[in-house]
Amino acid sequence: MDEEEAYVPYVPLQQRREARFKTLASSSGNTKEKQQFEDIQDLEKEREDELNKKREKQRRERTLLDGAAEVKRRKMEEDALKSVLQLRMEEEEKLLKELAGQQRKLVSDAELATGVEYRDSLPATWTAPRYIREKTDEEQEKIREKYHISTEGEDVPPPCPDFQDMKLPPPILKYLKGKKIVKPSPIQIQGIPTAFSGRDMIGIAFTGSGKTLAFSLPAIMLALEEEGKMPLMKGEGPVGLIVCPSRELARQTYEGILDMTKALAEGGYPQLGVLLTIGGISMQEQNDVLNKGLHIVVATPGRVIDMLTKKRFGLEGCKYLCLDEADRMIDMGFEEDVRNIMSFFKAQRQTLLFSATMPKTIQNFAQQSLIRPVLVNVGRAGATNLDIIQVVEYVKQEAKMVYLLECLQKTPPPVIVFSDNKNEVDDIQEYLLLKGLQAVAIHGSKTQEEREYAIKAFKSGAKDVMVASGVASKGLDFNEIQHVINYTMPKEIEDYVHQIGRTGRSGKTGIATTFVNMNTQEQTLLDLKYLLMEAKQRTPPFLAALEDPNAGQGGSGCPVCGGLGHGANNCPKLEDAQRRKAAEQNRDQGGGF
Ligand code: AMP
């Protein structure tokens, strides 16, 4: 068969039917066939409609099903995210519990062994003036709110917003006035009445907030009271012990107390004996005080244990113990020393823990160990002083030294430059000297004489710049520091807070400039970013652009170190502590290289 003839183009059935219908419609005859055709058409239309309905139903059902599947999928994703967060939180909780388990109560081994447990605070004779006592809880809370003081604890003593309300002896008021200290600072408003009431206390306040006075005055008043009851003879005392983590901090506290006791004696009050017990000072100096009644000892942990062991004095009559920079003390490994010191106490004492930063782990630990403690917090623990203008700059490692010179032009002296590294401290000092600047340096490897000379020269204004390692200068109070330069950003945000806290003290504004670069860990940068945001400071674009892997989780910062850019499971401070511990264990087990 010829192919062309055989070709019949395909016409779909529907079209063929329609063509047939048209022919039928145009022809007059054969109505029966026409009727039949119309019936078929109706039937097909019905079928078509039915089919369409069915399809529509299926489509709707499918969307519903699909929607349900989508919801289910999203829920699964959320659940997965939640369980990751939950898991992270649980891990964090476990970690904190483990940490708490590792920490024993901050009481002496003797007390632990005999199960002695005190339930009541020490009785005190001091009370706030009547008009203050009669203020309602709401009125007291209003005062606290005004000064941004928050408290926790049972029967918190009332805040006293004036020194006159604290019933201080006139020579002390005169002394304070002479130092231009006329109104108590927030930590003093709540801390002094709390300590005067005999209460155990955890005082949290930013550096430069006047916490030294808040724990020194109660020690002095208690000593005066005891001396008034029964004068102390040679070999008796002390009544109060203040322990500081560094020699410089101890000396500074000692000098403040000494000045106040001198003012009291000049004002006709009994002369109180105050002893400084730190390494590197002459025994001769100490003997003079030890030959009389001893009222207050200010010490570093190692030296006070030495003195107690040698029975140069005892703590049988000691009623007041203050640990300044308590968190530091525990961080620096003085925990056993503190416990050891406590074993020398023979009766109940009033215990005060003071610090600028107080991570939750240590707060819990301290709260377990104190009697009806009052927690006094001025601003968030670990937050920076709002009187400091914080500038963070990206400076390449090799450009730092030259840029430092430029930075030093920002303000008049005195200026402190911080670096973590002892060699770097020496290098910076050498460079500045070479450039004709009056610079001194302190770090852990300098002798006591060198350190004391540097501090004296800098404090007196003979030297303009002090280059220091963070640890060596911890807690030192230098008046009116104009500018703090962090040549290297400290790894732990708490150290940053302490370092920049050397400026902006006593309500004055200061500047802190911090150099960061690619050597700065991202974790540290994140902590810094959040700290700047919290203190409403300018966040440089390179910090603002930094993405936070934990963003959106909320929370009030790392419970271990207070940093806002990470949690306990990636806390650099905790990692460091664990690394140290592992190294120690390795060493104890004879491991090593
Ligand atoms: P601190 O936080 O104890 O290291 O004190 C920081 C500085 O603030 C010290 O130089 C104190 O003399 C000073 N200071 C303490 N209390 C007050 C106050 N109520 N008013 C003004 N300055 C104060």
Side-chain angles (χ1 to χ4, degrees):
M1 204 179 357
D2 189 339
E3 264 187 22
E4 266 185 37
E5 268 180 352
Y7 176 72
V8 181
Y10 172 76
V11 179
L13 179 68
Q14 183 72 10
Q15 266 178 355
R16 273 183 276 153
R17 278 204 189 131
E18 277 169 11
R20 173 89 183 127
F21 179 68
K22 272 183 195 149
T23 356
L24 283 172
S26 59
S27 65
S28 47
N30 207 352
T31 40
K32 199 174 162 206
E33 196 184 348
K34 225 178 181 179
Q35 185 58 47
Q36 263 178 358
F37 193 84
E38 276 174 8
D39 287 348
I40 291 170
Q41 281 253 308
D42 288 346
L43 209 68
E44 279 191 350
K45 188 150 186 335
E46 257 172 48
R47 265 203 212 131
E48 180 87 18
D49 285 350
E50 222 166 85
L51 210 66
N52 278 342
K53 269 187 202 155
K54 213 172 177 176
R55 275 199 205 112
E56 175 65 11
K57 190 168 167 247
Q58 271 176 355
R59 195 181 61 77
R60 245 189 279 132
E61 277 175 358
R62 208 176 48 231
T63 22
L64 276 177
L65 276 177
D66 283 353
E70 176 69 14
V71 169
K72 205 168 161 187
R73 190 179 57 77
R74 262 196 235 137
K75 187 159 176 346
M76 272 164 70
E77 273 176 14
E78 269 172 27
D79 284 352
L81 190 67
K82 254 191 222 156
S83 59
V84 169
L85 293 182
Q86 181 76 23
L87 215 69
R88 215 178 269 176
M89 269 165 65
E90 279 169 11
E91 258 174 36
E92 233 176 72
E93 242 165 58
K94 205 172 126 209
L95 200 67
L96 292 178
K97 267 196 195 138
E98 269 172 26
L99 281 174
Q102 283 164 15
Q103 291 165 336
R104 289 187 288 144
K105 277 193 166 193
L106 201 69
V107 293
S108 75
D109 287 336
E111 280 166 10
L112 272 181
T114 51
V116 176
E117 204 172 300
Y118 301 107
R119 291 185 187 280
D120 297 321
S121 307
L122 273 181
T125 40
W126 185 89
T127 52
R130 198 163 151 194
Y131 71 93
I132 295 242
R133 269 184 287 143
E134 283 175 351
K135 280 191 197 297
T136 61
D137 286 352
E138 289 80 57
E139 284 168 331
Q140 292 185 13
E141 208 42 52
K142 245 193 185 141
I143 299 178
R144 293 190 188 107
E145 261 169 37
K146 182 175 167 193
Y147 295 100
H148 307 287
I149 303 166
S150 65
T151 57
E152 276 173 40
E154 292 167 36
D155 300 328
V156 177
C160 293
D162 281 299
F163 282 124
Q164 278 73 13
D165 301 333
M166 297 178 188
K167 303 181 181 169
L168 299 175
I172 293 281
L173 286 175
K174 195 171 149 209
Y175 164 84
L176 293 177
K177 212 168 161 192
K179 290 241 147 205
K180 299 200 176 64
I181 300 179
V182 283
K183 286 281 274 176
S185 66
I187 188 68
Q188 294 162 357
I189 289 176
Q190 183 62 62
I192 294 178
T194 304
F196 277 181
S197 304
R199 297 292 297 271
D200 281 2
M201 175 174 147
I202 304 164
I204 304 174
F206 52 77
T207 45
S209 61
K211 60 190 167 73
T212 314
L213 194 66
F215 61 72
S216 300
L217 265 179
I220 293 173
M221 295 306 289
L222 189 66
L224 263 191
E225 195 179 325
E226 290 297 308
E227 179 66 18
K229 277 194 226 160
M230 180 77 75
L232 294 185
M233 308 293 285
K234 181 182 171 186
E236 290 178 338
V239 176
L241 171 64
I242 297 169
V243 187
C244 310
S246 75
R247 294 171 182 185
E248 285 79 10
L249 199 52
R251 181 175 283 283
Q252 198 168 279
T253 303
Y254 163 76
E255 282 168 0
I257 295 180
L258 200 65
D259 285 350
M260 282 191 271
T261 57
K262 272 186 195 153
L264 279 170
E266 282 163 15
Y269 285 79
Q271 175 71 59
L272 300 176
V274 191
L275 179 76
L276 176 66
T277 301
I278 56 173
I281 65 166
S282 88
M283 286 300 281
Q284 195 53 44
E285 204 180 310
Q286 297 180 325
N287 274 338
D288 283 354
V289 191
L290 283 167
N291 284 330
K292 297 175 210 141
L294 181 59
H295 295 85
I296 299 171
V297 172
V298 184
T300 47
R303 182 46 83 94
V304 76
I305 289 174
D306 185 45
M307 297 286 274
L308 289 166
T309 317
K310 288 183 182 150
K311 296 198 171 22
R312 300 303 305 265
F313 57 83
L315 296 179
E316 297 80 18
C318 193
K319 292 187 167 172
Y320 183 94
L321 171 68
C322 174
L323 306 181
D324 188 17
E325 309 272 2
D327 57 335
R328 278 284 127 174
M329 206 115 66
I330 289 162
D331 280 357
M332 286 166 76
F334 287 133
E335 192 181 327
E336 266 322 300
D337 285 348
V338 169
R339 213 178 291 285
N340 199 351
I341 293 168
M342 285 175 169
S343 68
F344 286 89
F345 281 82
K346 296 287 176 270
Q348 190 184 351
R349 64 178 172 266
Q350 182 183 3
T351 312
L352 289 91
L353 307 183
F354 265 88
S355 182
T357 55
M358 183 78 79
K360 267 214 178 69
T361 38
I362 296 183
Q363 278 182 40
N364 294 342
F365 170 42
Q367 256 166 335
Q368 282 170 23
S369 321
L370 307 182
I371 300 147
R372 294 176 72 230
V374 176
L375 184 112
V376 181
N377 191 348
V378 180
R380 182 182 74 81
T384 51
N385 175 350
L386 299 181
D387 290 333
I388 307 169
I389 299 168
Q390 300 174 56
V391 182
V392 177
E393 302 203 41
Y394 193 96
V395 189
K396 281 191 188 156
Q397 196 63 24
E398 61 276 16
K400 275 162 90 173
M401 204 64 97
V402 179
Y403 190 61
L404 174 66
L405 270 189
E406 202 174 303
C407 257
L408 284 167
Q409 315 292 323
K410 273 194 201 173
T411 66
V415 179
I416 300 190
V417 181
F418 282 113
S419 161
D420 277 352
N421 181 308
K422 291 174 197 170
N423 294 335
E424 203 169 60
V425 168
D426 287 335
D427 289 350
I428 299 170
Q429 185 203 14
E430 203 172 299
Y431 179 76
L432 296 182
L433 289 175
L434 211 71
K435 294 285 169 189
L437 273 88
Q438 296 288 319
V440 284
I442 56 165
H443 56 65
S445 299
K446 296 251 179 202
T447 64
Q448 185 63 16
E449 287 76 44
E450 284 173 316
R451 283 157 71 158
E452 275 178 19
Y453 162 75
I455 292 168
K456 242 185 213 151
F458 186 59
K459 269 192 172 179
S460 68
K463 302 286 177 184
D464 291 338
V465 182
M466 174 180 265
V467 190
S469 71
V471 179
S473 62
K474 191 84 255 321
L476 283 183
D477 176 34
F478 300 110
N479 262 341
E480 313 203 2
I481 297 290
Q482 303 286 336
H483 191 181
V484 167
I485 302 175
N486 290 315
Y487 190 84
T488 316
M489 169 69 197
K491 208 163 103 197
E492 287 170 23
I493 199 75
E494 281 179 84
D495 292 331
Y496 171 81
V497 175
H498 277 291
Q499 285 176 200
I500 68 165
R502 305 300 106 213
T503 187
R505 292 166 90 83
S506 326
K508 296 187 188 80
T509 306
I511 301 182
T513 306
T514 303
F515 296 172
V516 297
N517 57 32
M518 56 188 295
N519 295 341
T520 321
Q521 284 187 6
E522 199 162 305
Q523 197 74 76
T524 315
L525 291 175
L526 269 178
D527 284 341
L528 189 57
K529 169 178 163 174
Y530 286 117
L531 201 76
L532 293 178
M533 282 161 59
E534 186 187 46
K536 306 219 167 13
Q537 301 280 325
R538 194 184 91 80
T539 314
F542 65 90
L543 276 190
L546 207 63
E547 275 187 30
D548 180 0
N550 303 319
Q553 287 181 31
S556 56
C558 168
V560 177
C561 78
L564 293 171
H566 64 266
N569 33 13
N570 49 359
C571 169
K573 178 174 173 178
L574 192 58
E575 278 168 15
D576 250 16
Q578 284 166 343
R579 212 173 297 130
R580 265 202 309 272
K581 202 162 175 191
E584 268 168 29
Q585 276 170 357
N586 193 23
R587 216 178 30 239
D588 291 347
Q589 287 159 7
F593 301 103

